[in-house]
């Protein structure tokens, strides 16, 4: 089979594969999905692995899903896509194991070749353990530096038993105007302040900081310690309490349109102890 033409993903037309149409029962998917390691890769409504233990996988959504099948070892599949220079993207996939646990997890990545050679990976998006009976989502955001054909890669590693099946469903790749920062790091922590450094393709951000765990999507009426709009990738937040745990999250903003991204995962840090005045004595008798 020749490969299918790489799919272009735009904001208006995202690439979504839910395996609901275009596949006959147990039809081998070659051409579009390029798979490795002598893997059988098919689309099916369920897959019953007949050796012990007996197990049935149900789709994450709808009536069909894709699955890998192999006696042992590693499984990988790739889908060709066309990406645009300086564009933001979001990728997602749901993965499930047949039985046992894939000890080193599943991996989702973007590569310049349909290969597990990591030197060809341009974006390593996410990873997680694959557990029997549980659908796990892998997802991530990225920005491409060059226009060209790439491969959306899926890798499942190290089956602990002889034989195994793993299912995939709801593969998504879509262009996004506004994506969350790829990293937010507290680089300078003092007793009364913190400096956050943001890695992002945006030019404006909203920073929320609080002294207790919170959900920025639902707890919008909290009196946060900080909720501020910034225009610099470095921000110093002052007036904090010493020796205290704080939690923070950041989202990107496009000022011209008002678009906002999702929030980053909640991060935390502990402020340093305030300096003691001398004479100072610590006998460890009190708290």
């Amino acid at each position: 089979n020749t490969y299918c033409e790489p799919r272009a993903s735009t904001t208006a037309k995202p690439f979504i594969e839910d395996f609901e149409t275009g596949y006959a029962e147990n039809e081998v998917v070659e051409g579009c999905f390029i798979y490795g390691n002598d893997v059988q890769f098919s689309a099916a409504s369920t897959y019953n692995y007949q050796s012990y233990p007996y197990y049935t996988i149900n789709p994450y959504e709808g009536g069909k899903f894709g699955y890998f099948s192999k006696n042992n070892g590693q499984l990988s599949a790739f889908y060709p896509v066309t990406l645009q220079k300086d564009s933001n993207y979001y990728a997602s996939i749901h993965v499930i194991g047949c039985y046992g646990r894939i000890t080193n997890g599943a991996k989702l990545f973007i590569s310049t070749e349909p290969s597990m050679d990591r030197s060809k990976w341009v974006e390593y998006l996410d990873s997680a353990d694959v557990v029997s009976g549980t659908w796990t989502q892998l997802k991530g955001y990225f920005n491409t530096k060059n226009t060209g054909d790439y491969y959306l890669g899926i890798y499942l590693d190290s089956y602990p038993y002889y034989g195994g099946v793993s299912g995939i469903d709801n593969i998504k790749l879509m262009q996004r105007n506004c994506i969350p920062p790829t990293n937010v790091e507290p680089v300078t922590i003092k007793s009364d302040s913190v400096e956050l450094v943001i890695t992002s393709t945006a030019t404006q951000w909203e920073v929320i900081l609080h002294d207790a765990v919170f959900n920025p999507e639902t707890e919008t009426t909290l009196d946060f310690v900080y909720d501020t709009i910034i225009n610099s990738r470095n921000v110093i937040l002052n007036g904090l309490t010493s020796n205290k745990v704080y939690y923070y999250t950041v989202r990107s903003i496009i000022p011209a349109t008002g678009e906002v991204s999702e929030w980053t995962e909640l991060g935390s840090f502990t402020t340093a102890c305030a300096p003691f005045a001398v004479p100072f004595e610590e006998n460890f008798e009190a708290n």
Side-chain angles (χ1 to χ4, degrees), residues 131-152:
V131 183
S132 61
T134 301
W135 283 98
T136 300
Q137 184 183 25
L138 304 182
K139 62 180 181 178
Y141 296 88
F142 64 97
N143 177 271
T144 49
K145 301 296 185 292
N146 298 292
T147 297
D149 293 340
Y150 296 84
Y151 296 88
L152 179 63

Side-chain angles (χ1 to χ4, degrees), residues 195-227:
E195 180 184 7
L196 298 178
V197 173
I198 301 169
T199 304
S200 174
T201 58
T203 57
Q204 191 176 80
W205 304 268
E206 181 178 5
V207 179
I208 290 181
L209 182 138
H210 199 45
D211 56 6
V213 174
F214 65 96
N215 184 334
E217 299 291 348
T218 59
E219 299 175 275
T220 56
T221 60
L222 278 177
D223 186 15
F224 295 108
V225 176
Y226 269 96
D227 185 353

Side-chain angles (χ1 to χ4, degrees), residues 9-32:
S9 177
T10 65
T11 52
K13 190 178 180 180
F15 160 54
I16 299 176
E17 180 56 81
D18 55 11
F19 299 99
E20 296 303 309
T21 59
Y23 299 98
E25 196 76 9
N26 296 328
E27 176 187 6
V28 175
V29 183
E30 299 190 56
C32 284

Side-chain angles (χ1 to χ4, degrees), residues 17-20 33 41-44 57-61 64-68 75-79 92-97 106-107 130 135-136 138 154-156 165-171:
E17 180 56 81
D18 55 11
F19 299 99
E20 296 303 309
F33 279 100
F41 181 73
S42 304
I57 301 176
N58 295 314
Y60 175 73
E61 283 185 347
K64 291 187 177 183
F65 67 100
Y67 69 80
F68 296 96
L75 315 175
S76 58
F78 305 86
Y79 200 100
S92 170
I93 184 174
H94 284 80
V95 184
I96 193 171
K107 297 175 177 63
V130 177
W135 283 98
T136 300
L138 304 182
I154 307 146
Y155 180 61
L156 307 172
V165 173
S166 186
I168 60 176
D169 206 352
N170 283 18
I171 304 172

